[in-house]
Amino acid sequence: MTIYSIDSLKVEQNIQTLQRKAGVPLIAVMKNNGYGLGLEWLAKTTRDAGITQFAITELADIAPLRETVGNDADILMLRSTALYGELKVIIENNCIATIGSSAAAHALDLAANRLGIQARAHLKVDTGLGRYGFAPQKIQAIASCFALDGLRVEGIYSHFSDASDLNHPETSAQELATFKQCVISLQDRGFDTGIRHMANSAGLFNVSNSALDAVRIGSGFTGRIITREENRLQRIGVLESAVIDLKHFPKGSSLGYHGTYRTKRDTLAAIVPIGTQDGFGLQVAPRPRFHQVLSTAKQCVLRKHATVAIEGVDYPILGVVDMSLCMVDVTDQPAHIGDRATADINPLMVNPRVLRIYQNDRA
């Protein structure tokens, strides 16, 4: 049986590190099953740590999150929508809606008036990510939201397009400056913009003076972010299973579908039931940058491979990872059936069906 093991004490330490670094309240982002850590578990853990503001992207997450964090916590829906059915759910659950366009603003106003409730809202400004949000120069369009009786603007935010890009920090700095100027323009017109937030996990560490009034944290809880300097965050989570069998392959044996891999010597393989269905062997593939291309080429030259640790020793994968298993080359240092096998993997990539086990959990 494959499980995903999470050290709860390390998560708690990461929360404390992030709180100290931010110096302002954290907004705990719960999207994608709590960044793979488990929505309800991470919500409770962050709530116990004093966090009272949360953010989601899916309507289905409202009920379990509200049940976990209580009615006095704030829940921000990060996805702007102009659909009445979605806005109705957001309003009725006392969540905060995101307004990213004039259409979304008027739809929220209409929904609130129909329900006889003043809706809570944060304005979203697009400073470069290019998904949704008002263009920062469209001040009049943004300002018009404050005139709508059915809603109450409680905050304004934006999102860095790539705060993890350590080679071009000027891009994030300019985006931050653009956002700040937009807020100032609104305030100069007499509008109370509420809390300002722009920094995500990477932005908190990589973009100076970006914390503002709050910081949205998601991947930071997992300790798996790219930062310019030492961040003191601990990497969270490993897939755990066991060696379920051993098999000998003569030199030249073909392995896997289509025989894409052939053994280059007589080989002893350990069979480990960790595969792509668990999330292993999958990864987000962003547009490559020059240094990434060089790194990939270097790995090819050095013949680096994906690895699985068996009883603490790293072994290379043979061929490709299958859906339900991988074969591990244990020729040089034999392993045994029943040995503990682990694979380092970002919790975001772990299939939600994989059982999460929380080590050192205080609950």
Side-chain angles (χ1 to χ4, degrees):
M1 176 180 175
T2 299
I3 64 169
Y4 191 65
S5 179
I6 298 165
D7 190 324
S8 62
L9 291 182
K10 288 184 178 180
V11 176
E12 292 173 9
Q13 291 167 8
N14 282 351
I15 294 171
Q16 294 170 7
T17 297
L18 292 159
Q19 289 173 320
R20 287 194 298 268
K21 175 65 176 177
V24 295
L26 301 186
I27 300 174
V29 182
M30 294 289 132
K31 65 183 180 181
N32 196 12
N33 191 30
Y35 273 75
L37 296 177
L39 185 146
E40 289 94 335
W41 181 85
L42 182 60
K44 181 182 185 304
T45 301
T46 50
R47 190 73 171 90
D48 289 347
I51 294 175
T52 61
Q53 300 178 76
F54 300 84
I56 54 175
T57 59
E58 306 303 320
L59 293 177
D61 290 338
I62 293 177
L65 180 57
R66 179 63 76 193
E67 176 69 22
T68 304
V69 301
N71 293 326
D72 58 333
D74 286 336
I75 299 177
L76 171 64
M77 170 57 70
L78 291 171
R79 178 164 48 80
S80 178
T81 178
L83 297 177
Y84 174 78
E86 294 190 337
L87 292 169
K88 182 174 182 290
V89 174
I90 293 169
I91 296 170
E92 289 180 335
N93 285 276
N94 191 32
C95 295
I96 303 169
T98 284
I99 300 175
S101 68
S102 295
H106 288 288
L108 180 63
D109 181 55
L110 177 62
N113 286 323
R114 285 182 179 177
L115 295 170
I117 303 173
Q118 189 176 46
R120 308 170 66 193
H122 282 200
L123 301 170
K124 171 66 184 297
V125 180
D126 177 19
T127 55
L129 188 57
R131 296 191 296 199
Y132 48 80
F134 290 95
Q137 65 270 23
K138 300 293 185 180
I139 297 299
Q140 188 54 47
I142 303 174
S144 66
C145 298
F146 291 88
L148 299 173
D149 294 333
L151 57 90
R152 180 174 70 254
V153 175
E154 298 183 355
I156 186 169
Y157 72 99
S158 188
H159 198 301
F160 290 114
S161 61
D162 192 358
S164 296
D165 185 354
L166 306 184
N167 293 324
H168 300 93
E170 68 279 0
T171 300
S172 293
Q174 181 56 57
E175 290 173 355
L176 177 60
T178 298
F179 174 66
K180 286 182 175 180
Q181 184 55 55
C182 178
V183 174
I184 291 172
S185 296
L186 290 168
Q187 293 174 341
D188 286 346
R189 287 167 170 77
F191 299 112
D192 181 0
T193 56
I195 68 169
R196 307 159 301 153
H197 50 106
M198 184 163 182
N200 55 359
S201 299
L204 173 62
F205 288 92
N206 296 333
V207 186
S208 299
N209 303 312
S210 65
L212 304 181
D213 300 318
V215 176
R216 299 186 305 275
I217 297 294
S219 58
F221 296 132
T222 74
R224 296 172 181 267
I225 59 174
I226 299 172
T227 59
R228 190 179 311 280
E229 299 175 353
E230 172 61 41
N231 57 45
R232 298 185 182 279
L233 297 175
Q234 303 187 66
R235 290 167 67 89
I236 304 300
V238 292
L239 278 172
E240 290 189 11
S241 190
V243 176
I244 59 173
D245 208 345
L246 297 169
K247 186 172 182 179
H248 289 274
F249 292 97
K251 179 180 179 180
S253 298
S254 61
L255 305 181
Y257 291 108
H258 311 298
T260 54
Y261 181 85
R262 289 184 178 276
T263 56
K264 299 174 177 60
R265 59 175 178 170
D266 291 343
T267 301
L268 176 62
I271 300 175
V272 177
I274 293 177
T276 57
Q277 67 180 5
D278 305 305
F280 186 55
L282 305 176
Q283 64 180 12
V284 177
R287 181 179 63 189
R289 299 191 183 96
F290 182 65
H291 73 279
Q292 291 172 326
V293 173
L294 287 179
S295 176
T296 300
K298 181 179 179 181
Q299 289 181 15
C300 290
V301 171
L302 297 177
R303 296 182 179 179
K304 289 186 177 179
H305 303 280
T307 61
V308 166
I310 299 177
E311 295 297 336
V313 178
D314 286 335
Y315 294 86
I317 298 293
L318 287 166
V320 299
V321 178
D322 288 342
M323 180 178 291
S324 60
L325 60 84
C326 59
M327 288 186 286
V328 183
D329 188 350
V330 296
T331 309
D332 295 328
Q333 189 171 345
H336 306 88
I337 293 173
D339 282 353
R340 177 174 177 264
T342 61
D344 181 68
I345 178 174
N346 190 316
L348 271 174
M349 305 305 298
V350 180
N351 192 316
R353 71 162 185 80
V354 175
L355 179 64
R356 270 73 171 165
I357 299 295
Y358 302 96
Q359 308 294 340
N360 303 311
D361 198 356
R362 301 176 191 272

